[in-house]
Amino acid sequence: MGNRQTLTNYVRRMTGALLKTGVEAAVISPGSRSTPLAYAFASTQQLKTYMQVDERSAGYFALGMAKASGKPVVLLCTSGTAASNYHPAITEAYYARIPLIVITADRPHELREVGAPQAIDQIRMYGEHVKYSVDFPLPEENSAVDDFVERQLNRAIAVAMTAPLGPVHINVPFREPLLIDLEGEAPVMTFVQRMAAKDQLDEGTAAQLIEILSSTDKGMIIAGELPVHLDKKAFWQFAKALNWPVLCDPLSNFRAEVPADCAELCIDQYDALLKSASFCDRVNPDVVIRFGAQPVSKPLSLYLKNIRPQVYVAVDESPEFRDSIGIVTHHVQSTPEAVFECCVEQPMTAYTKKWTEANKIAKMISSAHKGYIGDEGCFANQLFEGLPNGVDLVSGSSMPIRDVDTFFRKTDKDIAIFSNRGTNGIDGVISTALGIQAARKRPAWLVIGDLSFLHDVNGLLATRFHETDLTIVVMNNDGGGIFSYLPQADMPHHFEELFGTPTGLTFAQIAQMYGAQYDMVRTSEEFEGVLQREKETPLRIIEVFTDRPASVAAHRKMWSNIAERLDAHD
């Protein structure tokens, strides 16, 4: 497809997305770089366009329209100081809570900061005077880019229209030539339908949601990371009424304190199950409803992205809902508790039974996972099985959280699980665990890798100033264990140097420096004894020596066994 057609499709998609989200008017300041969008807006019958040569006046003109109509108004200009002249009106819009959709055309990336004319730094140029800002990619034939553009526009306007209302900024680079085909209209967008509700669903939203939940016997609930104080009882009443399988991320905290009559619905082995391609083919849902963030599991994300359910409802209190894989069709901007009120009673279906039976098979195999020398999974299995009631478990963000996902099985114990998965970094984990323990005033266990431990070893200083009740289990595989599961591991050249990064360090002396009880573990038998030993000091460090290649081999053998048993069962 030619560049002109690509550019035409790109700006038509943008226009269609704006129309879909309720935009009816655009104020245009003439200029060259904004040509593609100016033509797209002017040639779209459903969009009313207004011209104002002076950008400062154009900004206030658009502000007046938005103020009077209560609807979002687009403001479009070319690159350079034209965008600067919008700032006074944007500032007024921010403090007056007026929904302006500011679109600044920009030079392509190769012309930025190299002395090109009409090229200034436009990234986040309005600073704190806009509620949201995003820099778009250049036009290209790429479905992922199409999804990004449409969903970012939907998100930006949702932010603009969420109290307090206000302006948002979209920076769009274009490369010459800038002309588009004028024939045709903006496509009808079928992407995310926003169902604003807040703390209580209005009658229309509730009725629509009930209709969705009642429309299929092949539905799925996904529970991602959620606040620890969420009403678990209300959630399980909702799930039990639907009788849908519930794929519980460990950070949802729905794997703990599971009611006996709901235990069968709690699917805690989905990460392993979805590594089987044949099982994936047998369990495609029609409707998915997700509470909280997208779960940790990569197989789950790949599975959902591949099947793209016809209806995928994300319940998220923020207009900036989380959809990293671009499959959400309905966004309920609401608390989870408000949605729990939409009680739809259904009998358990064959679809749900497929999940529950498969989960039992995988649980039987994962719970028996032991005896592999040097395998972190075996140690994780022992640790999670042996955790006492009434403690908190904090997980590192790299390999440890994957083992929590695999080996922390549903339980009636009161165990809350935490991890820094906002950005998935390995830094600050010790300090986070100490902060969690200080706030919750009950014993905490931290499972962490050796590199992550080294990253925040100074965090242990807090134990010198505050009461502490923390046990740290360091999985010391002498480097970055997660990389051994990635494609980089298949390229032996420079792997250890760049990704394995062995340090050769052990932590007995660090434990001694902080007066911590210290144990060194190399076998499952040693670990069993250590876990049964009483904690003698406020800080305890258990250093478990593991082997990266052995861990990879053992994990893969377990996943293969699960897949084989699933196929045999079916």
Side-chain angles (χ1 to χ4, degrees):
M1 187 177 292
N3 291 340
R4 183 164 177 153
Q5 189 60 53
T6 299
L7 179 59
T8 301
N9 292 344
Y10 186 86
V11 294
R12 291 278 184 215
R13 278 187 172 275
M14 286 186 64
T15 307
L18 291 167
L19 293 173
K20 176 72 174 178
T21 49
V23 172
E24 298 176 356
V27 178
I28 302 172
S29 304
S32 176
R33 192 59 52 169
S34 53
T35 294
L37 276 173
Y39 272 134
F41 290 171
S43 60
T44 299
Q45 293 182 356
Q46 307 97 306
L47 189 65
K48 177 65 175 174
T49 56
Y50 299 84
M51 296 301 299
Q52 175 53 269
V53 174
D54 182 280
E55 284 86 6
R56 183 177 178 279
S57 297
Y60 281 104
F61 184 92
L63 181 142
M65 291 190 69
K67 182 190 288 281
S69 67
K71 297 178 180 179
V73 173
V74 166
L75 188 57
L76 171 67
C77 72
T78 190
S79 62
T81 55
S84 302
N85 283 293
Y86 279 164
H87 208 147
I90 290 169
T91 305
E92 171 64 18
Y94 181 79
Y95 286 102
R97 301 183 177 183
I98 306 299
L100 288 183
I101 314 302
V102 183
I103 302 178
T104 55
D106 200 355
R107 296 293 170 118
H109 302 77
E110 68 270 15
L111 293 183
R112 296 176 182 176
E113 303 301 324
V114 292
Q118 275 189 268
I120 66 173
D121 185 357
Q122 296 179 194
I123 310 301
R124 298 185 181 276
M125 68 180 298
Y126 302 118
E128 297 299 315
H129 292 141
V130 291
K131 294 180 64 183
Y132 185 67
S133 180
V134 60
D135 185 33
F136 270 15
L138 284 156
E140 61 176 281
E141 285 300 317
N142 185 321
S143 59
V145 169
D146 292 342
D147 282 345
F148 175 85
V149 166
E150 294 168 13
R151 289 167 187 274
Q152 285 294 322
L153 284 169
N154 183 75
R155 176 175 176 173
I157 295 173
V159 171
M161 295 301 292
T162 296
L165 278 62
V168 295
H169 174 216
I170 299 150
N171 192 64
V172 188
F174 293 114
R175 185 178 287 126
E176 293 179 334
L178 301 171
L179 296 180
I180 68 169
D181 295 327
L182 296 180
E183 294 77 17
E185 286 288 328
V188 177
M189 296 289 106
T190 58
F191 63 102
V192 183
Q193 179 177 346
R194 182 165 170 260
M195 303 160 69
K198 303 300 174 64
D199 295 334
Q200 186 173 0
L201 302 189
D202 59 75
E203 290 185 7
T205 299
Q208 186 178 0
L209 191 54
I210 288 172
E211 182 180 356
I212 288 172
L213 298 176
S214 305
S215 66
T216 182
D217 59 1
K218 294 173 61 179
M220 174 193 294
I221 301 171
I222 295 176
E225 183 174 6
L226 287 161
V228 70
H229 301 298
L230 190 73
D231 189 341
K232 290 185 180 180
K233 182 178 179 181
F235 171 81
W236 283 116
Q237 287 175 342
F238 172 83
K240 181 63 177 174
L242 272 174
N243 265 312
W244 288 2
V246 184
L247 279 56
C248 295
D249 182 280
L251 300 179
S252 70
N253 281 302
F254 289 147
R255 294 190 190 181
E257 297 182 288
V258 182
D261 62 341
C262 298
E264 193 173 27
L265 296 176
C266 178
I267 308 299
D268 55 4
Q269 300 291 301
Y270 60 86
D271 181 80
L273 295 175
L274 294 174
K275 286 182 168 70
S276 165
S278 59
F279 179 75
C280 289
D281 291 339
R282 298 195 294 270
V283 291
N284 289 353
D286 296 326
V287 176
V288 175
I289 181 168
R290 191 194 79 211
F291 298 93
Q294 179 67 23
V296 168
S297 170
K298 187 173 183 179
L300 176 59
S301 292
L302 293 173
Y303 163 72
L304 292 169
K305 188 173 183 178
N306 181 52
I307 65 172
R308 299 189 72 90
Q310 184 177 355
V311 177
Y312 190 111
V313 181
V315 179
D316 197 315
E317 294 175 81
S318 171
E320 302 176 28
F321 67 95
R322 293 161 286 193
D323 183 25
S324 60
I325 52 179
I327 60 172
V328 170
T329 61
H330 295 71
H331 168 215
V332 182
Q333 189 181 341
S334 166
T335 62
E337 288 89 346
V339 173
F340 298 160
E341 297 293 325
C342 293
C343 192
V344 177
E345 293 194 13
Q346 296 180 351
M348 184 174 288
T349 65
Y351 177 78
T352 298
K353 289 178 181 177
K354 282 184 182 179
W355 276 101
T356 59
E357 290 301 314
N359 199 68
K360 291 175 185 176
I361 292 171
K363 179 181 179 181
M364 179 179 64
I365 295 172
S366 70
S367 60
H369 185 74
K370 59 182 64 173
Y372 295 96
I373 298 174
D375 173 34
E376 290 183 20
C378 291
F379 292 119
N381 206 3
Q382 281 183 274
L383 173 63
F384 304 147
E385 282 288 333
L387 284 176
N389 191 31
V391 303
D392 293 328
L393 172 64
V394 185
S395 172
S397 296
S398 191
M399 196 61 212
I401 191 61
R402 270 77 180 185
D403 279 335
V404 173
D405 202 5
T406 299
F407 295 107
F408 189 95
R409 290 174 290 277
K410 53 193 168 188
T411 177
D412 58 2
K413 293 179 184 177
D414 172 18
I415 299 175
I417 303 176
F418 300 87
S419 184
N420 288 342
R421 293 294 295 177
T423 56
N424 307 344
I426 68 168
D427 50 331
V429 177
I430 293 174
S431 299
T432 299
L434 288 166
I436 288 168
Q437 195 277 316
R440 287 176 58 83
K441 303 289 192 286
R442 66 181 200 169
W445 290 67
L446 167 63
V447 58
I448 188 172
D450 54 302
L451 290 184
S452 187
F453 183 89
L454 287 167
H455 228 294
D456 194 31
V457 72
N458 283 345
L460 292 173
L461 281 170
T463 65
R464 314 304 293 172
F465 305 108
H466 308 289
E467 290 186 12
T468 301
D469 190 348
L470 179 66
T471 299
I472 302 177
V473 179
V474 184
M475 297 291 186
N476 191 342
N477 55 34
D478 198 19
I482 190 66
F483 294 107
S484 297
Y485 293 83
L486 302 180
Q488 294 94 312
D490 295 330
M491 300 181 64
H493 296 294
H494 307 295
F495 176 78
E496 284 296 297
E497 173 191 351
L498 297 175
F499 301 102
T501 57
T503 65
L505 296 173
T506 60
F507 307 123
Q509 291 179 317
I510 290 176
Q512 182 181 11
M513 181 169 66
Y514 284 98
Q517 180 181 349
Y518 174 80
D519 294 284
M520 182 178 68
V521 170
R522 294 187 183 274
T523 68
S524 295
E525 292 75 18
E526 289 176 352
F527 197 34
E528 188 67 32
V530 166
L531 292 176
Q532 292 177 0
R533 197 173 302 157
E534 289 291 326
K535 185 169 182 280
E536 300 169 358
T537 58
L539 175 66
R540 184 183 188 186
I541 297 175
I542 303 172
E543 187 170 10
V544 181
F545 290 94
T546 67
D547 180 81
R548 281 185 270 131
S551 289
V552 174
H555 278 73
R556 288 177 175 163
K557 182 174 178 59
M558 181 188 69
W559 294 327
S560 176
N561 289 342
I562 290 173
E564 289 174 6
R565 288 291 298 274
L566 290 174
D567 289 342
H569 178 76
D570 189 67

